[in-house]
Amino acid sequence: MKLINGGVCAAKGFVANGIHCGIRKNKTKRDLAMIMSECPASAAAVYTTNLVKGAPLLVTKAHLANGVAQAVICNSGNANTCNANGIEVAEQMSALVAKELGISANDVVVASTGVIGQPLNLEPIANGIPVLAKGLSANGGEAAAEGIMTTDTVKKEVAVSFEIGGKTCTLGGIAKGSGMIHPNMATMLVFITTDVAISPAMLQKALSTDITNTFNMVSVDGDTSTNDMVTVLANGMAGNDEITEENEDFAIFMKALNTVTVALCRMIAGDGEGATKLLECKVTGAKDVPTAKTVAKSVICSSLLKAAMFGADANWGRVLCAIGYSGADVDVNAVDVSFRSAKGEIIVCKNGAGVEFSEEIAKEILLEKEIEILISLGKGEGSATAWGCDLTYDYVKINGDYRT
Amino acid sequence: MKLINGGVCAAKGFVANGIHCGIRKNKTKRDLAMIMSECPASAAAVYTTNLVKGAPLLVTKAHLANGVAQAVICNSGNANTCNANGIEVAEQMSALVAKELGISANDVVVASTGVIGQPLNLEPIANGIPVLAKGLSANGGEAAAEGIMTTDTVKKEVAVSFEIGGKTCTLGGIAKGSGMIHPNMATMLVFITTDVAISPAMLQKALSTDITNTFNMVSVDGDTSTNDMVTVLANGMAGNDEITEENEDFAIFMKALNTVTVALCRMIAGDGEGATKLLECKVTGAKDVPTAKTVAKSVICSSLLKAAMFGADANWGRVLCAIGYSGADVDVNAVDVSFRSAKGEIIVCKNGAGVEFSEEIAKEILLEKEIEILISLGKGEGSATAWGCDLTYDYVKINGDYRT
């Protein structure tokens, strides 16, 4: 499993591009992205659990019913959600892409991210699609990664290469936003491409399994967006024997997928709106995995703990408090807590009660950019990791006046 | 039902006091409060659902097992939670009060609020209790209300007078903090006193019923404290026939209790940490009350909506989003939303889609200090109200460095 460059264009047969077409006011910001596979690809996706769903998700879901897709179109700056004509606009986006690329509209994944409840003007998109298509290239992954950003401060892309049955395979992805179960309203979108040959059913199985330990364990602010979506396109151009069952090849594919998704989770959480720190909560010793997940997510979602981490304050009582109200079956008298970063590790709580520790050393550890909150529940073998970020002035600033 | 002054000393036979004894560093802040009834009173209480419970709650719960209490002791500045000797300290606080007042230690309600996981030094409390007791008076309600404050910016007290069976009755309360199901870590504590004659069982029934529509519908930041507690003492000195069943007198008592608890809920939410606005989410047209409650709480808890309210931004898409992820059974295409304040009301969403509205008028409405978010679900008769506040820079500031 080797990290390589190229993001969503790293795998064989994928090209991409991103441009400014005019949806976002700031002309220096790209707002339209396209990804294309040379040939039809196995396709899988997972969608937001929010009852309010963006129109593009409904259209994409219909298009992917047959497990095949060949292109992705995504705009930022407007979510095309809660609009009376949303479905129509998303279908028109697909049709325009299909016409331009000479493929079926049913093979287009369509996505939108931005403000909810404002009509999406098709005109700049219609004008932009031919420009986008013309500029598609194997070097366009970065432009595509930029085209899907909204309040993101950095583009998010990663790729790995690995071997299946003697064939060199590649899997890469781009992401925007901040979560899946608890994503930033600005939406989480992830597009993953691979040249592995894998059936649509097995691709969906791999994705649906992986997200329970990755994107569903990310939280920035507890708000589940209406437009979250993760899609994978697998075009088979690596030439491996098609994966059609849970064999050794599938296990390798799962590992490659997980390497990419965990990297994207860390990028998403670390770039949460206003964030100055990535928080990684690692729970061990739970009676089972669901218990560990519940505890990890509760801790990572605590506004009070997030604010304390912003202040580099080792206020471990807030960790205990979040464990206590998580709803998980936990013996609070068996809980140990420590904080860890590149500067070292410090134990702050043993068996549910405070231990003496140096506030100076704790501060030094917590001033780092990546903080691990380590929780041992002392009751079993269940473990889980959740990713989040600190709560800062800038979060309030960004969201206090997002639309203007 | 008439609003009167006097707070926790408004009812006959109650005296109170609050002093600075030395737990809090700032000598201008009172940190120890006492309330006493002239005679033993029926007592009822509800406690945090957090698995991590403050030692004082465990001691109080044991003391109230017989449904009788006569005095309350409460310190601020330290939660006496997650301390190895916490139970012992809480018992000693009760014993010192009992000795000083000449009552049974079993009739003392003990409470603490402040930082978790730091040993509570008994010495200043032991020195303070005789001073407190000496100063008990019918004018001491305000000092007691101040003695239980932590990050509160205003003291919270209210009282009503009413008639039961021709007797003038009074019920009053003081509160600190910011919530019950989702309270501020700084803890919500509410002490209510009344001269109504009511059995402990009916008092508990009244309280347990009332909080489901009041304190359990308040949220400041989604964190459920380890030390939340609401207690009521009813000493019977109004001389009414004791309430021992669900009759008309009980209904009047419930109404008096609800008047006081709703007023305290509004004070608590409006004084949420860093808050500049009180948010009141009123849901109607739900298929049933639990659905209405789920929706109201989800909206009031949305960090994104809270930040938008801080910015006076009519970003109603965030309301729809929070309804959608609430888990409630809702037809999102039947949802109407409007914002209302002293400046008027503006409809922003009909049947799940945006309607054109004046951003200027919306801004004017949202710049007020008390904002109602009105949601109609269009499916039945269920309704509910939840109280919260906006998310501000000051929330981050207060909680980024709470311990220092």
Side-chain angles (χ1 to χ4, degrees), chain A residues 50 185 223 313 324-325 403, chain B residues 50 223 302 304 313 324-325 403:
Chain A
N50 198 313
M185 181 63 124
D223 281 278
D313 179 11
Y325 67 66
R403 296 186 313 155
Chain B
N50 198 311
D223 279 278
S302 160
L304 286 167
D313 178 13
Y325 66 66
R403 296 185 314 157

Side-chain angles (χ1 to χ4, degrees), chain B residues 356-371:
Chain B
E356 278 196 48
F357 63 90
S358 156
E359 292 280 354
E360 291 67 35
I361 293 172
K363 193 101 190 167
E364 200 187 348
I365 288 170
L366 294 177
L367 281 170
E368 290 292 297
K369 292 272 175 223
E370 298 190 3
I371 308 295

Side-chain angles (χ1 to χ4, degrees), chain A residues 110-121:
Chain A
V110 56
S112 296
T113 174
V115 184
I116 290 181
Q118 296 188 352
L120 174 57
N121 182 6

Side-chain angles (χ1 to χ4, degrees), chain B residues 1-11 157-162 170-173 193 256 259-260 263-264 267:
Chain B
M1 217 54 64
K2 206 178 82 185
L3 282 169
I4 59 172
N5 291 324
V8 86
C9 294
E157 50 176 358
V158 63
V160 291
S161 81
F162 51 101
T170 300
L171 187 143
T193 57
T259 303
V260 164
L264 293 174
M267 291 182 205

Side-chain angles (χ1 to χ4, degrees), chain A residues 91-371:
Chain A
E91 287 287 17
Q92 285 171 329
M93 285 171 66
S94 305
L96 287 164
V97 169
K99 192 176 162 204
E100 193 64 34
L101 300 180
I103 64 174
S104 160
N106 194 54
D107 288 347
V108 177
V109 168
V110 56
S112 296
T113 174
V115 184
I116 290 181
Q118 296 188 352
L120 174 57
N121 182 6
L122 192 65
E123 197 185 329
I125 298 173
N127 294 335
I129 283 172
V131 183
L132 259 183
K134 206 167 179 180
L136 283 171
S137 88
N139 297 319
E142 191 172 330
E146 289 173 4
I148 64 174
M149 288 165 65
T150 54
T151 52
D152 305 60
T153 65
V154 292
K155 65 179 188 299
K156 300 168 183 74
E157 52 175 356
V158 63
V160 291
S161 81
F162 50 102
E163 271 199 10
I164 292 183
K167 304 286 182 183
T168 298
C169 300
T170 300
L171 186 144
I174 59 174
K176 64 88 41 185
S178 314
M180 176 75 188
I181 280 292
H182 285 164
N184 194 303
M185 181 63 124
T187 301
M188 183 189 78
L189 290 174
V190 179
F191 301 107
I192 296 169
T193 56
T194 179
D195 45 24
V196 169
I198 182 170
S199 70
M202 294 309 290
L203 186 62
Q204 185 67 50
K205 183 167 208 166
L207 179 62
S208 297
T209 305
D210 184 73
I211 62 151
T212 64
N213 298 314
T214 55
F215 299 115
N216 281 0
M217 297 300 287
V218 174
S219 179
V220 166
D221 57 10
D223 281 278
T224 303
S225 166
T226 54
N227 289 46
D228 295 321
M229 177 162 66
V230 181
T231 64
V232 190
L233 302 187
N235 68 8
M237 290 180 73
N240 63 300
D241 292 342
E242 188 182 38
I243 299 170
T244 57
E245 55 176 358
E246 287 196 46
N247 53 18
E248 202 183 314
D249 292 352
F250 183 73
I252 297 170
F253 180 74
M254 283 291 289
K255 196 172 167 211
L257 181 62
N258 190 253
T259 303
V260 165
T261 57
V262 166
L264 292 174
C265 283
R266 289 173 54 94
M267 290 183 206
I268 287 169
D271 191 34
E273 287 182 337
T276 69
K277 286 177 201 302
L278 168 67
L279 306 181
E280 199 163 20
C281 180
K282 295 180 172 173
V283 174
T284 56
K287 67 171 191 172
D288 52 31
V289 169
T291 300
K293 284 186 172 179
T294 300
V295 168
K297 278 170 74 173
S298 183
V299 169
I300 223 75
C301 288
S302 162
S303 293
L304 285 167
L305 178 66
K306 287 153 63 83
M309 291 297 101
F310 172 55
D313 179 11
N315 199 331
W316 59 270
R318 295 178 176 175
V319 177
L320 266 281
C321 183
I323 295 170
Y325 67 66
S326 68
D329 178 12
V330 167
D331 175 2
V332 292
N333 296 314
V335 175
D336 297 345
V337 179
S338 65
F339 296 110
R340 185 166 71 189
S341 74
K343 284 282 162 62
E345 177 174 348
I346 192 160
I347 297 171
V348 289
C349 170
K350 284 288 274 183
N351 298 319
V355 295
E356 279 196 48
F357 63 90
S358 158
E359 292 281 355
E360 291 67 37
I361 293 172
K363 193 100 190 168
E364 199 187 348
I365 288 169
L366 294 178
L367 281 170
E368 290 292 299
K369 293 272 175 221
E370 297 190 3
I371 308 295

Side-chain angles (χ1 to χ4, degrees), chain B residues 335-388:
Chain B
V335 175
D336 297 345
V337 178
S338 67
F339 296 110
R340 186 165 71 188
S341 75
K343 285 279 162 64
E345 178 174 347
I346 192 160
I347 298 171
V348 289
C349 170
K350 285 287 274 183
N351 298 320
V355 293
E356 278 196 48
F357 63 90
S358 156
E359 292 280 354
E360 291 67 35
I361 293 172
K363 193 101 190 167
E364 200 187 348
I365 288 170
L366 294 177
L367 281 170
E368 290 292 297
K369 292 272 175 223
E370 298 190 3
I371 308 295
E372 289 170 281
I373 302 151
L374 308 175
I375 298 167
S376 166
L377 299 177
K379 290 292 168 187
E381 300 297 316
S383 66
T385 300
W387 296 272

